[in-house]
Amino acid sequence: MGNLRFPIGQFSFQPPSTAVQRKQWIADLAEAPANLRAAVAGLSEAQLNTPYRDGGWTVRQVIHHVPDSHMNAYIRFKLALTENDPIIKPYDEGAWAELSDTRDTPTEISLTLLETLHARWVRLMEAMSDADFLKQFRHPERGVVTLEMNLALYAWHGKHHVAHITSLRERNKW
Ligand code: NI
């Protein structure tokens, strides 16, 4: 049995990144909305309400979580690009996933939100210089985070959650 919680393994990053790696991670983020859309295509309401693993989020919560998370990531990019060492605001992703919008919003709205968000984010990153990727913010718990590391993290994060859904579908033969 594979690791249900970390189907593609845990995130790891060794600085410094190369321009080739960053180009690939940006491409990963450019493809993430279509990959998430494909991963959930054709699922019924009952299937969307199924946890991807015992004790885990439902598929619906995963779909709404990805833009919640990536909106925060996008804002952290913009803060680091426009301020010197900004302190960013963490958020309680588990509590966000329990808010009523996660239960009551059609998944299509979050799939579209992710597409439009990534269209902005990818344009921003494609225009960044090598030096811009060394700009950083301060996370109150995780310390200093460079934008190259944050790029690598969210490239992983999109694939991580897509794999939660595709592995659930494989196991259940959906
Ligand atoms: Ni996540």
Side-chain angles (χ1 to χ4, degrees):
M1 183 176 96
N3 186 327
L4 298 184
R5 189 167 189 184
F6 293 100
I8 63 165
Q10 300 222 31
F11 172 66
S12 70
F13 173 69
Q14 280 83 37
S17 64
T18 66
V20 171
Q21 285 177 306
R22 291 194 297 273
K23 196 167 181 209
Q24 180 59 56
W25 293 327
I26 293 169
D28 291 342
L29 283 172
E31 291 169 6
N35 289 340
L36 184 62
R37 184 179 285 283
V40 302
L43 290 180
S44 68
E45 290 297 304
Q47 288 168 331
L48 289 172
N49 291 331
T50 303
Y52 79 87
R53 64 176 170 86
D54 283 346
W57 281 336
T58 63
V59 174
R60 181 187 305 281
Q61 284 176 307
V62 171
I63 295 168
H64 292 308
H65 161 70
V66 177
D68 277 357
S69 167
H70 292 196
M71 284 189 286
N72 277 278
Y74 173 66
I75 287 169
R76 291 169 189 181
F77 264 75
K78 296 193 70 141
L79 288 171
L81 288 170
T82 56
E83 299 178 20
N84 189 24
D85 251 4
I87 298 170
I88 59 89
K89 177 75 181 73
Y91 72 104
D92 182 342
E93 64 176 21
W96 283 38
E98 299 299 330
L99 290 173
S100 63
D101 65 323
T102 299
R103 201 173 48 243
D104 301 333
T105 306
T107 55
E108 177 59 34
I109 291 178
S110 277
L111 294 171
T112 301
L113 174 59
L114 195 69
E115 281 167 3
T116 54
L117 173 66
H118 281 220
R120 290 283 306 272
W121 193 9
V122 166
R123 276 175 174 78
L124 179 72
M125 291 187 290
E126 284 176 344
M128 284 170 59
S129 66
D130 291 353
D132 284 336
F133 281 100
L134 298 178
K135 291 181 176 165
Q136 59 192 41
F137 58 79
R138 265 170 216 281
H139 189 290
E141 287 132 36
R142 285 189 260 140
V144 168
V145 179
T146 60
L147 292 183
E148 66 173 354
M149 178 176 172
N150 220 38
L151 167 58
L153 174 62
Y154 285 90
W156 169 86
H157 184 256
K159 291 191 272 194
H160 167 69
H161 284 299
V162 166
H164 284 154
I165 298 167
T166 55
S167 63
L168 173 71
R169 292 186 78 156
E170 276 168 29
R171 291 198 306 280
N172 288 351
K173 307 210 179 339
W174 286 352

